[in-house]
Each structure stands twice: as structure tokens, then as C-alpha cells.
Amino acid sequence: MINVVLYFAFLFVIFWIIKKWNFFHHPDISYKLTLFLFISKMLASFFLFFIYTNFYPNNRLNNDIFKYYDDGQVMYQAIYDSPSNYIRMLTGIGDSKTEIIEQYYKKMNFWIKPIDYEIVNENKTIIRLNAFFSLFTLQNYFINTLLFVFLSFIGLFALFKVLSNYFSQNKLILVLFVFLMPSTIFWSSAILKESLVFFSLGLLIYFFDKLLKTFSISNFLLFILFSIALSFSKMYIFILIIPGLISLILIKVLPNIKPWLIVLSIHLLIILLYFNSEYFLPYNFSEITVAKQHDFINLIHHFNVPVGSKIEIPLLSDSIYSFIQYSPNALINSLFRPFLFEAHNLTSLMAAIENTFILFLIILIPIFFRKNKFNQWMWFSLSFCIMLFILIGLTTPVLGALVRYKVPAFPFLLFLLINFIDFEKIHTKIKSIWKKQY
């Protein structure tokens, strides 16, 4: 009973924050609509819990929505055993003691990745955050989830506030595509890295957009803060947005140069640096990408991943030719798979329907084309989407993982597409057909 009361207490506080915080005040979104959007995410979190507990009831260890929470509770137990060890683990300062490793880290299942290439182990970030939240939530899974839902909602709202300034049609259309697409609402409404990615990415872009308009120390420091937060949530997402951000800065300071030329030049330079990173960094990024693909393929064979989830992807070699050769296939896989006939469970069916809808939007563009000048965030969206989709398409041989990995770019992809669709023409056409029929 106390857990139910505490859950509603947290929910009341969140509703109060949404009502009182100026950040959530937007001329195109009423308070009621804002609450509806948040409650939709909250309900999505319960739906995910239902799916995982009813369709995968005997595999909690590897269930994504539980694994970081469970490891966070192992860390939290140090509060009772040794508060000083809890602080060490939470901060990462002095946590290499044998006592901590033996008593806590070795009892966690996901503290150490089986194969780790990243500069930052993002698993540790989300585990630590769960251990911290448990100080206030009485270790209640649903309240921890509620806090992750709220964090991702803040990020999505920040993203909407930026993109709405560059979308001149009915803003409710943008609300639908930013907040309510199935992949976005479900995978950002659980104790998953995607929730933290949307939180940090949305606020990073929010303060970067402010900096583009007017520089201030406070906005710069907040931009740096959320850049660090994003790098500790998913480092490769942070790396992939850098070319787009640099392009926007140069478009701003070099107004006499064609934006497409700036964007193209920056990305060609980034590609050159990517394939020569070992000469100026302690990492060979192209080699790491190849190794990650090969290890992922070996991993799914080792764990005997169900046939319906696996897809065949061509083996990469560490050469620019190999990457260029297989990039079109990677882009198609990321954009459109799973296809409807590849859906083998409820979540993959939702993803397949969503992918079909994306194809439908692309078809609508030439039919109801809206002439639109490429604005700065459209350039960013194009950059981020292409690079993320190619990267995950090259390295991911499992459909379920492919669906999850592309989620951070989904609002940007939709923002890009709907800018070229004239929804007023569609509305007029539908009204005309309706009048003829009735």
C-alpha cells in the first residue's frame, strides 16, 4: 500500500512541475495536452512491463527493462552494509577496492559488458542512476520507471520546442510525430538507455539552439553539461551529432557559402578523420566498427538467437571501399526493416507497421509536395539520421536491436519528412473526396 501511495505522490509532484515550470509552457501545447502526452508515456511504461512479464516471464535476467534496475539494487544494498562504499560506487571514485568488486560488482550481471569497445561504459551510468533513485523510491521498480519516463519527457519537450520554431504548419502535426510514434513513446518510457539519451540529447539541442541565437555563459555551460550527460548515456550518439552541430555553426558564421557545400565538406572531412583516427587518437574507429559487427554476429550464433530475429548482413572489412559498398543496404535495413512479413512478435509487428508508415510518408512527398527551404535543423536531421542509420545498419544483425538503436533519430527523421508534405493540401483533398461521397 505504501508503494502505491508513494507512486501517486511522485506523480502529483511531476504534474505540479509540469504546471509550474515555465519550460513546459508553450503557446501550441496546452497544459491538458502536455499532461496527456506525459500520461501516454506513463501508460506505455506499463504496457512494456506487461509485454515483458507476460511474453518473456522466465527470462528476467536478460529482459532489457529490468536488467539495469536489478543491478542498481545490488549497488543500493551497500547503503545498509557500508554507506561509504555506496558513495564510492555511485561516484566511481575509489571503487576499485577488492571488497567492492567482490561484494557488489561481481554480483551484477551488466556492470561489465561482455564485449566493450566504448570509451565510456554506459551500463554503469544507468545502473548508478537506478541506485541513486532508489534512495527516494524505496526501491520501487515502478517509481524508478516513472522518473525515467519524466526525464525522457523533458528531453522530448525540449526537442519539440526547438523543432517547432522551424516547422511552419500546424504544430499539432509535429506533436504527433515527436511524442506519439510507437517506437519513440515505448522505448523511451522504461529503464533503458534510450530514456537517458532523449533527456540529454533534447536538452543539448535546446541549449545549442539558444547559443546559435545568442551566446551566454549559462547556456554554454548547460550545453557542455548535457553533452557530457549524452556521452555517458550513449557515446556513439554524441559522436554522431558532432558533424551536424559543427555544420550548423559554420552555416551561421559563413552565410555567404551555400549550406549544402558546408555540410558536404564537413562530412567528407569527418569520413577522412574516421578512417585515420588511429593517427591522432588512441582509437581506430573503423577497426572498432568492423570488430563490433563481427563480434555481434558471433554473439547471436553463440546465444542461438531465434531465426525470425536474425538478418543477414554483409561482412565488413577495414577499408573505406567496404563501408561505401555496404552503406546503401545498411540504410535500407535501418529505414524499413522489419518488413511486415518479417514481424514475428508484437513489438516487431509495431515496428513493421511504423516502417510501412515511414514509406507511406515518403510516397506522400511527391504527391503533396511542399516547397520548403532547408532550415538549419533539417540539415542537422539529415546528417544525424544518415550517419546513425548507416552505422547501425552495418553492424546490427538482429531486428529487435535494429529497432531500438534507431529510436534516437526517429523524431528527426519524421521532422525532416513532414517538412516536405503539405498537410493543408491533404486536408483539402480529403474534404473534397468526402463531399463527393456524402
Side-chain angles (χ1 to χ4, degrees), residues 10-75:
F10 270 90
L11 191 59
F12 174 79
V13 171
I14 289 172
F15 285 174
W16 181 83
I17 292 172
I18 290 173
K19 185 174 181 63
K20 295 296 183 181
W21 189 11
N22 285 336
F23 173 80
F24 286 112
H25 298 170
H26 192 279
D28 298 301
I29 303 185
S30 66
Y31 172 65
K32 289 182 180 179
L33 178 56
T34 305
L35 283 188
F36 168 78
L37 295 172
F38 177 75
I39 291 170
S40 298
K41 283 180 63 60
M42 188 179 75
L43 295 175
S45 72
F46 285 109
F47 179 73
L48 268 181
F49 179 82
F50 172 80
I51 293 293
Y52 275 94
T53 52
N54 285 274
F55 292 89
Y56 313 100
N58 301 316
N59 193 26
R60 181 174 175 118
L61 175 62
N62 292 307
N63 277 354
D64 291 339
I65 66 170
F66 298 120
K67 61 186 186 182
Y68 302 120
Y69 168 80
D70 289 342
D71 279 1
Q73 300 319 298
V74 174
M75 182 181 292

Side-chain angles (χ1 to χ4, degrees), residues 18 44 76 247 264 275 302 408 420:
I18 290 173
Y76 180 76
S247 297
L264 180 62
F275 283 97
H302 176 75
F420 290 105

Side-chain angles (χ1 to χ4, degrees), residues 3 51 70 72 99 121 139 148 164 189 238 289 291 325 376:
N3 285 328
I51 293 293
D70 289 342
E99 175 192 354
N121 181 347
Q139 298 178 266
F148 274 84
S164 64
S189 300
F238 175 67
T289 305
Q325 181 183 7
Q376 59 193 41

Side-chain angles (χ1 to χ4, degrees), residues 13-274:
V13 171
I14 289 172
F15 285 174
W16 181 83
I17 292 172
I18 290 173
K19 185 174 181 63
K20 295 296 183 181
W21 189 11
N22 285 336
F23 173 80
F24 286 112
H25 298 170
H26 192 279
D28 298 301
I29 303 185
S30 66
Y31 172 65
K32 289 182 180 179
L33 178 56
T34 305
L35 283 188
F36 168 78
L37 295 172
F38 177 75
I39 291 170
S40 298
K41 283 180 63 60
M42 188 179 75
L43 295 175
S45 72
F46 285 109
F47 179 73
L48 268 181
F49 179 82
F50 172 80
I51 293 293
Y52 275 94
T53 52
N54 285 274
F55 292 89
Y56 313 100
N58 301 316
N59 193 26
R60 181 174 175 118
L61 175 62
N62 292 307
N63 277 354
D64 291 339
I65 66 170
F66 298 120
K67 61 186 186 182
Y68 302 120
Y69 168 80
D70 289 342
D71 279 1
Q73 300 319 298
V74 174
M75 182 181 292
Y76 180 76
Q77 288 306 308
I79 279 288
Y80 305 104
D81 305 330
S82 172
S84 61
N85 282 342
Y86 172 81
I87 297 297
R88 289 187 182 98
M89 289 188 288
L90 201 63
T91 61
I93 300 171
D95 68 335
S96 57
K97 292 172 59 178
T98 302
E99 175 192 354
I100 291 176
I101 294 171
E102 293 295 328
Q103 194 169 347
Y104 302 105
Y105 290 161
K106 284 191 175 180
K107 291 181 181 178
M108 299 180 190
N109 296 301
F110 298 96
W111 183 256
I112 302 297
K113 293 182 178 182
I115 304 170
D116 193 7
Y117 311 97
E118 283 79 22
I119 303 168
V120 176
N121 181 347
E122 303 98 340
N123 288 6
K124 296 180 179 181
T125 304
I126 193 168
I127 290 169
R128 284 175 170 136
L129 194 56
N130 270 288
F132 175 71
F133 283 166
S134 293
L135 287 171
F136 313 98
T137 64
L138 300 183
Q139 298 178 266
N140 185 293
Y141 168 81
F142 294 103
I143 304 177
N144 277 33
T145 301
L146 181 65
L147 295 177
F148 274 84
V149 168
F150 187 48
L151 288 178
S152 67
F153 184 69
I154 291 171
L156 284 170
F157 204 92
L159 183 60
F160 171 80
K161 291 182 77 168
V162 172
L163 298 184
S164 64
N165 293 325
Y166 303 89
F167 184 72
S168 57
Q169 302 185 73
N170 191 322
K171 297 298 192 290
L172 291 179
I173 297 169
L174 187 62
V175 168
L176 170 66
F177 288 112
V178 169
F179 289 98
L180 296 176
M181 293 301 289
S183 287
T184 305
I185 194 170
F186 285 117
W187 298 120
S188 68
S189 300
I191 301 176
L192 296 169
K193 294 175 187 176
E194 283 73 18
S195 297
L196 298 184
V197 167
F198 274 119
F199 170 67
S200 47
L201 177 60
L203 288 169
L204 181 157
I205 284 173
Y206 178 74
F207 288 108
F208 184 82
D209 186 64
K210 284 179 172 292
L211 286 171
L212 283 178
K213 294 171 182 173
T214 308
F215 181 85
S216 76
I217 294 297
S218 60
N219 286 336
F220 177 73
L221 292 176
L222 287 166
F223 167 72
I224 295 298
L225 174 65
F226 290 109
S227 296
I228 294 170
L230 181 58
S231 66
F232 276 86
S233 301
K234 274 196 177 180
M235 174 60 80
Y236 71 87
I237 296 293
F238 175 67
I239 292 171
L240 290 178
I241 67 170
I242 290 174
L245 297 181
I246 294 173
S247 297
L248 295 197
I249 293 171
L250 293 179
I251 289 172
K252 171 80 173 179
V253 301
L254 301 172
N256 294 325
I257 300 179
K258 297 287 186 182
W260 69 264
L261 185 58
I262 292 174
V263 174
L264 180 62
S265 301
I266 290 297
H267 286 75
L268 288 176
L269 177 60
I270 292 295
I271 291 170
L272 180 65
L273 295 175
Y274 176 85

Side-chain angles (χ1 to χ4, degrees), residues 169 361 364-365 368 370 417-423 426:
Q169 302 185 73
L361 288 178
L364 282 181
I365 290 174
F368 296 100
R370 182 174 184 271
L417 295 178
I418 63 177
N419 261 293
F420 290 105
I421 299 173
D422 192 326
F423 288 93
I426 294 175

Side-chain angles (χ1 to χ4, degrees), residues 286-346:
S286 59
E287 187 178 80
I288 288 173
T289 305
V290 172
K292 188 165 187 173
Q293 186 217 46
H294 294 181
D295 288 335
F296 204 156
I297 291 171
N298 293 333
L299 203 63
I300 64 170
H301 289 308
H302 176 75
F303 286 104
N304 195 25
V305 173
V307 174
S309 297
K310 290 187 285 191
I311 57 174
E312 295 296 325
I313 56 175
L315 279 176
L316 280 173
S317 61
D318 189 11
S319 72
I320 190 168
Y321 173 76
S322 177
F323 278 71
I324 293 173
Q325 181 183 7
Y326 300 133
S327 286
N329 179 71
L331 197 57
I332 290 170
N333 281 348
S334 295
L335 268 173
F336 301 120
R337 297 186 74 174
F339 301 121
L340 283 171
F341 59 83
E342 292 178 309
H344 60 281
N345 57 34
L346 182 59

Side-chain angles (χ1 to χ4, degrees), residues 362-404:
I362 293 172
I363 293 171
L364 282 181
I365 290 174
I367 300 173
F368 296 100
F369 181 72
R370 182 174 184 271
K371 190 175 181 181
N372 200 355
K373 184 181 178 181
F374 246 72
N375 61 59
Q376 59 193 41
W377 287 108
M378 290 171 70
W379 283 115
F380 175 86
S381 298
L382 182 65
S383 164
F384 181 41
C385 289
I386 289 177
M387 290 199 301
L388 179 62
F389 290 167
I390 287 177
L391 178 65
I392 63 176
L394 287 172
T395 58
T396 311
V398 180
L399 287 174
L402 195 64
V403 170
R404 283 266 305 281

